[in-house]
């Protein structure tokens, strides 16, 4: 986690230029051509302007104490040219950009549909046709069209894939989106490009572009690292994966460290000081804190988490509640599945395994 930005940097460095990451989508070549056209226009304008400024400052400097400024007259031809030439250049930039922009804006109907949801501070990536959900990981086949439908659960984010030269605001209460066709298999970083609060800079992910064979294998795979998940595995395996998948790790430490929200180890069975007084940390409290984080705010923290009600599967919620218990009481899960199941309903059974 701490070094993922470094990995992202290394990934981006491969096949890239000084200014640009690799050209990994069909839009990239043309976008770069327009970029470099504008870039060199700017360089040229800068050099001409600075050279003229320096030359005139020297040539027309005051040469004696009593020298007066000569009267300034119009130069129609010069004034016309310095207006007309930039106008023509700007029209060229507009006309050149307009066509690819229109192509980018019209999402094809024969593309793989992927739904992307932004929330502080993680991306949920859903494949309706494959019944798969990933967090912070977009997996796509190479040389195939992909439609992204973007929405936000809270504030405005921006889904940016530099290697594809695509970026669009992700807005609450409205869908936005774009489409692309990836051209080079590999891994490329995703960034949030709209300031969305304290965790904005850690709101990133990865696009994995797979070859045809890899894609076919991925669509049927259930391996946890491929975003699918086998919930019957033991909690020490499933817990950390769910904790990452749902973006919990972005804000909550499990080794006592304060990130954005309170650390979650060592809290099970204790009393938490909240804005509504002390609360016993049990299964129901954890469950409610995931679904409706605003119900109780732990003292010293702000209400910054977006609610998970309606966007986490009940089975996965149960496992997360188990995992929070596991962080404090790993011994409760020693005997495997049976007791792990109990953890989810732990509130009623009132286990008090406090060490005497
Ligand atoms: Cu989300 Cu910045």
């Amino acid at each position: 986690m701490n070094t993922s930005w470094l990995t992202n940097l290394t990934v981006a460095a491969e096949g890239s230029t000084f200014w640009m990451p690799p050209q990994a989508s069909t839009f990239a070549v043309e976008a770069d051509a327009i970029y470099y056209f504008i870039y060199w226009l700017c360089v040229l304008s800068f050099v001409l302007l600075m050279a003229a400024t320096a030359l005139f400052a020297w040539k027309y400097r005051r040469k004696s104490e009593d020298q007066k400024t000569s009267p300034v007259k119009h130069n129609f031809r010069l004034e016309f040219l310095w207006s007309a030439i930039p106008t023509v250049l700007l029209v060229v930039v507009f006309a050149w950009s307009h066509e690819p922009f229109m192509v980018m804006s019209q999402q094809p109907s024969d593309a793989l549909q992927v739904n992307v949801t932004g929330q502080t501070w993680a991306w949920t990536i859903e494949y309706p046709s494959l019944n798969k959900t990933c967090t912070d990981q977009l997996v796509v086949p190479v040389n195939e069209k992909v439609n992204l439908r973007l929405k936000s659960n809270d504030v405005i984010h921006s889904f940016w894939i530099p290697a594809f030269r695509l970026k669009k605001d992700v807005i609450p209460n409205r869908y936005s989106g774009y489409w692309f066709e990836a051209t080079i298999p590999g891994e490329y970083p995703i960034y949030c490009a709209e300031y969305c609060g304290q965790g904005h800079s850690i709101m990133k992910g990865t696009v994995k572009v797979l070859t045809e064979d890899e894609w076919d294998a991925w669509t049927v795979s259930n391996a946890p690292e491929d975003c699918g998940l086998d919930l019957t595995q033991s909690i020490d395996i499933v817990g950390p994966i769910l904790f990452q998948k749902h973006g919990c790790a972005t804000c909550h430490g499990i080794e006592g460290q304060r990130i954005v929200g309170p650390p979650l180890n060592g809290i099970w069975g204790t009393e938490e000081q909240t804005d509504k007084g002390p609360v016993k940390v049990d299964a129901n409290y954890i469950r409610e804190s995931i679904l409706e984080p605003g119900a109780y705010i732990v003292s010293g923290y702000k209400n910054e988490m977006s609610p998970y009600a309606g966007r986490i599967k009940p089975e996965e919620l149960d496992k997360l509640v188990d995992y929070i218990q596991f962080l404090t009481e790993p011994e409760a899960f020693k005997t495997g599945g049976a007791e792990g199941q109990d953890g989810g309903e732990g509130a009623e059974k009132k286990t008090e395994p406090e060490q005497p």
Side-chain angles (χ1 to χ4, degrees):
M1 194 68 194
N2 297 335
T3 56
S4 63
W5 63 273
L6 200 73
T7 328
N8 285 346
L9 269 186
T10 348
V11 168
E14 207 175 301
S16 58
T17 65
F18 181 75
W19 294 118
M20 289 290 179
Q23 298 177 321
S25 85
T26 49
F27 296 134
V29 174
E30 185 133 44
D32 286 6
I34 297 168
Y35 170 81
Y36 282 114
F37 178 73
I38 297 171
Y39 172 83
W40 285 112
L41 265 186
C42 294
V43 170
L44 184 71
S45 311
F46 177 79
V47 170
L48 286 178
L49 274 170
M50 292 306 112
T53 307
L55 179 71
F56 292 159
W58 172 255
K59 188 173 175 192
Y60 299 111
R61 71 193 187 280
R62 192 163 74 154
K63 295 182 181 85
S64 65
E65 283 298 314
D66 55 354
Q67 193 180 16
K68 288 191 177 120
T69 307
S70 55
V72 180
K73 289 187 209 113
H74 280 288
N75 185 327
F76 176 77
R77 197 191 302 172
L78 203 57
E79 287 169 14
F80 177 78
L81 282 179
W82 79 42
S83 306
I85 293 174
T87 305
V88 170
L89 289 173
L90 287 177
V91 170
V92 168
V93 170
F94 172 79
W96 189 357
S97 318
H98 180 260
E99 204 262 322
F101 181 78
M102 292 309 281
V103 176
M104 281 178 179
S105 305
Q106 285 161 354
Q107 296 189 283
S109 53
D110 58 338
L112 172 74
Q113 178 71 31
V114 181
N115 298 337
V116 176
T117 305
Q119 66 262 332
T120 47
W121 290 279
W123 301 104
T124 304
I125 319 268
E126 287 170 282
Y127 298 81
S129 58
L130 302 171
N131 200 19
K132 267 177 184 287
T133 305
C134 304
T135 294
D136 295 337
Q137 195 184 90
L138 173 64
V139 183
V140 296
V142 72
N143 298 330
E144 267 183 58
K145 293 174 189 158
V146 178
N147 259 344
L148 296 188
R149 193 177 76 186
L150 309 169
K151 77 173 187 348
S152 169
N153 275 340
D154 35 53
V155 296
I156 301 178
H157 304 276
S158 182
F159 197 69
W160 182 29
I161 310 176
F164 294 173
R165 311 294 189 270
L166 288 168
K167 175 166 71 178
K168 201 150 225 173
D169 275 9
V170 181
I171 303 163
N173 302 318
R174 190 198 301 176
Y175 296 122
S176 57
Y178 53 69
W179 72 279
F180 59 82
E181 193 177 317
T183 51
I184 312 171
E187 291 187 23
Y188 311 97
I190 298 169
Y191 299 104
C192 178
E194 184 70 58
Y195 182 68
C196 53
Q198 197 178 354
H200 163 68
S201 63
I202 47 173
M203 190 172 175
K204 17 189 195 37
T206 309
V207 196
K208 281 190 181 176
V209 180
L210 303 183
T211 62
E212 206 175 317
D213 290 345
E214 288 171 335
W215 172 255
D216 289 342
W218 185 80
T219 54
V220 294
S221 161
N222 260 329
E225 64 273 22
D226 290 346
C227 302
L229 189 56
D230 175 7
L231 287 177
T232 59
Q233 289 167 297
S234 61
I235 195 66
D236 56 321
I237 294 175
V238 173
I241 295 170
L242 285 174
F243 201 70
Q244 281 290 338
K245 175 182 164 181
H246 289 290
C248 319
T250 310
C251 299
H252 293 284
I254 54 169
E255 285 162 356
Q257 74 275 39
R258 179 188 174 130
I259 307 176
V260 174
L264 299 179
N265 57 312
I267 60 165
W268 188 272
T270 65
E271 260 191 2
E272 197 87 273
Q273 297 305 316
T274 73
D275 58 336
K276 299 188 179 79
V279 176
K280 176 92 193 289
V281 178
D282 58 16
N284 271 322
Y285 169 72
I286 296 295
R287 185 176 181 279
E288 181 175 45
S289 300
I290 295 171
L291 296 177
E292 291 299 335
Y296 295 92
I297 310 297
V298 177
S299 303
Y301 293 89
K302 280 185 280 182
N303 183 12
E304 292 195 273
M305 179 172 158
S306 57
Y308 276 73
R311 57 189 182 93
I312 182 168
K313 291 179 190 146
E315 327 67 274
E316 296 193 356
L317 176 62
D318 292 346
K319 287 290 170 185
L320 269 178
V321 173
D322 281 355
Y323 182 58
I324 309 300
Q325 182 183 8
F326 172 80
L327 290 173
T328 309
E329 300 175 350
E331 66 280 357
F333 296 86
K334 278 273 159 62
T335 50
E339 261 190 291
Q341 294 293 342
D342 278 354
E345 326 284 2
E348 283 84 80
K349 92 180 171 209
K350 278 267 178 194
T351 43
E352 304 284 29
E354 261 144 52
Q355 282 83 357

